Amino acid sequence: MHILVVNVYFAPYTYGGATIVAEQLARQMVDRHNARVSVISAVSRPELPEYTIIKSETDGIANYLINMPQTRTYAEMYANISVSECIEHLTQSLQPDLVHLHCLQELGADCINVFKRMGLPVVLSIHDFWWICERQFMIRPDGNYCGQDPVQIEGCRGCVDDLNRARFRINYLRAAAASADVITYPSKFALDLCERSGIAPGKGVVLKNGVSKPAADFFERQAARRASDPCIVFGYLGGPTPIKGWPLVRAAFQNIKRDDFRGYLVDATHDGTWYNAVDLDRLKGEWDVLPRFNQRDIDRFYEKIDVLLFLSQWKETFGLAVREALVRGVRVIQTDSGGTTEHHAIDRQKLLKIGDGAPILIREIEAVLDEPGHPEPVDVEFYTDQSDAFMDIVRDLKRSF
């Protein structure tokens, strides 16, 4: 079976959790299910002509990158006829059996209609709230979570620059999504909110994202590190942004009345500039910045830490890092942030509410420091499980074609 995957990013230009999921699932389809996978994604290189198609390849998967202009109109971010023409040309050449769409921001959702005109089955995987919010994460301009449920365009009046334009956008995306044959969501929270907000009600299914398995010697290395130095180590992956809770992290570790711990901040930028303006000396304990890592190096990060700080200030669709930590026996301090809480280890009494201040987080940090035992690993879905579940969806879909 030849599967055409479409996502705004793809290796060798990986960025964000949804791209990691798209890449890992594609590789499992090749390795585990003997599929052929081709990819269409985007790049923006000013030295090349606009809408040039560049072919790349990573781990045996061909990636056709459409070179996007540096500047595009508002409408071109969700419906771009030039991109659709490129995609149609590529699809005619590649002749896939099935199309799997992920994040279509910047590429445009009109490609769904292209695939349906060509008679191809289409699976759309929604990873974020771009389909119901032009700001993508339902974060208002003041930095706070929107909280609409369902999302109604009249309630967006205070966020968008042009309400009529935003109304046209959401109606267009609702119609485009309705053309997909199946829509998958990584959590029940995401499915319910999107369907209540008008995204193809009744077409959605939950397809939980997988995570990378710990290496065979991970727990041995983790135990050796903990035995050699019992000091509790915190880790934070979100970057210095309010959306991921950085002001809360900073305030808590500046005001806590002890320093018997260490911490690592991961800089996900390519040039290592995220924390250049952050004075780490103001944080209690010992803190260091680690460079970004890929899926091959993921164990090296998690074996260094005992507690993951996941303090998102918006309702997320999944929370990949939460599962990566839990399956490795790393404790998680997290907010009540939507789909991130749909796991077996959840203790709702200990969840921080979105908007809780530093004193609440300090209380949770001190509880860990006062009783520093380590939790047992929690069972979660791996990418192998996700690929098997995806194949079940594909088999059912192909029977109807």
Side-chain angles (χ1 to χ4, degrees):
M1 181 172 59
H2 184 188
I3 302 172
L4 177 60
V5 172
V6 182
N7 189 60
V8 60
Y9 300 113
F10 203 88
Y13 303 108
T14 302
Y15 184 82
T19 304
I20 291 172
V21 170
E23 291 172 356
Q24 294 297 320
L25 183 55
R27 287 171 188 145
Q28 288 297 327
M29 296 307 295
V30 172
D31 296 341
R32 187 173 176 84
H33 296 284
N34 200 33
R36 175 188 171 196
V37 174
S38 300
V39 177
I40 297 175
S41 66
V43 71
S44 186
R45 293 174 56 174
E47 74 275 15
L48 296 175
E50 296 176 359
Y51 302 109
T52 297
I53 296 171
I54 309 161
K55 183 180 180 182
S56 180
E57 186 172 310
T58 304
D59 295 336
I61 295 177
N63 179 12
Y64 299 86
L65 300 108
I66 301 172
N67 191 43
M68 308 295 286
Q70 296 285 298
T71 57
R72 279 154 280 154
T73 66
Y74 174 92
E76 286 174 333
M77 301 301 282
Y78 67 86
N80 189 324
I81 191 170
S82 296
V83 172
S84 293
E85 290 173 349
C86 291
I87 288 176
E88 185 169 13
H89 170 74
L90 283 166
T91 307
Q92 288 171 344
S93 174
L94 292 167
Q95 292 292 302
D97 301 304
L98 174 91
V99 181
H100 187 191
L101 308 177
H102 292 273
C103 298
L104 297 182
Q105 44 265 46
E106 301 197 45
L107 290 168
D110 42 328
C111 66
I112 300 176
N113 295 323
V114 170
F115 297 128
K116 294 313 298 176
R117 286 198 304 269
M118 300 176 75
L120 291 167
V122 174
V123 178
L124 169 63
S125 289
I126 289 181
H127 294 274
D128 54 43
F129 295 123
W130 177 79
W131 292 86
I132 57 176
C133 171
E134 72 170 48
R135 297 173 62 83
Q136 188 170 341
F137 301 113
M138 294 181 65
I139 302 295
R140 300 196 306 252
D142 64 4
N144 294 315
Y145 176 62
C146 163
Q148 284 199 80
D149 186 357
V151 173
Q152 298 175 319
I153 194 62
E154 295 302 321
C156 303
R157 189 181 299 273
C159 286
V160 302
D161 294 331
D162 185 324
L163 188 63
N164 287 331
R165 188 175 70 172
R167 183 182 291 110
F168 187 90
R169 174 191 181 275
I170 198 167
N171 288 335
Y172 183 93
L173 291 178
R174 284 170 178 164
S179 298
D181 296 290
V182 178
I183 302 179
T184 78
Y185 298 88
S187 63
K188 188 176 185 300
F189 170 80
L191 185 155
D192 290 345
L193 178 55
C194 285
E195 290 202 347
R196 283 195 294 265
S197 302
I199 302 298
K203 282 194 173 181
V205 298
V206 174
L207 175 66
K208 288 188 178 182
N209 293 334
V211 302
S212 297
K213 292 181 179 180
D217 63 345
F218 171 81
F219 293 104
E220 181 181 343
R221 297 199 313 269
Q222 181 189 63
R225 192 272 300 171
R226 288 173 172 174
S228 66
D229 184 356
C231 180
I232 293 294
V233 183
F234 295 89
Y236 173 73
L237 289 161
T241 169
I243 292 175
K244 290 294 188 178
W246 168 247
L248 177 60
V249 173
R250 180 180 57 200
F253 285 101
Q254 283 179 353
N255 291 289
I256 194 170
K257 303 301 182 183
R258 55 198 295 178
D259 61 1
D260 54 334
F261 53 83
R262 293 199 302 275
Y264 289 110
L265 309 172
V266 175
D267 187 332
T269 60
H270 287 282
D271 57 2
T273 58
W274 250 2
Y275 291 99
N276 283 0
V278 176
D279 184 3
L280 298 184
D281 290 337
R282 298 185 62 188
L283 305 180
K284 302 292 177 52
E286 298 178 21
W287 289 84
D288 288 303
V289 176
L290 298 177
R292 60 180 287 151
F293 54 84
N294 57 34
Q295 290 294 291
R296 294 184 179 90
D297 298 325
I298 191 170
D299 282 347
R300 295 182 185 178
F301 170 69
Y302 283 107
E303 71 186 43
K304 292 177 184 289
I305 71 170
D306 303 298
V307 183
L308 177 72
L309 302 166
F310 193 95
L311 300 167
S312 181
Q313 297 298 296
W314 65 292
K315 298 282 188 175
E316 302 206 21
T317 59
F318 188 67
L320 203 62
V322 170
R323 275 71 168 191
E324 291 170 345
L326 291 174
V327 78
R328 290 167 171 82
V330 172
R331 190 183 304 273
V332 178
I333 296 177
Q334 70 169 107
T335 48
D336 186 4
S337 44
T340 70
T341 68
E342 293 179 20
H343 56 76
H344 302 306
I346 196 67
D347 182 347
R348 296 206 167 270
Q349 299 301 313
K350 292 187 176 181
L351 289 176
L352 278 72
K353 297 182 180 66
I354 289 175
D356 275 349
I360 306 297
L361 177 55
I362 290 173
R363 184 184 67 194
E364 295 303 317
I365 294 168
E366 289 179 335
V368 171
L369 294 173
D370 290 339
E371 297 183 21
H374 304 296
E376 292 295 316
V378 175
D379 289 334
V380 302
E381 287 77 10
F382 294 120
Y383 288 117
T384 51
D385 303 311
Q386 187 182 6
S387 71
D388 292 347
F390 181 75
M391 276 303 299
D392 289 339
I393 293 171
V394 168
R395 290 189 192 99
D396 291 342
L397 182 56
K398 286 184 71 65
R399 289 191 194 104
S400 65
F401 273 75

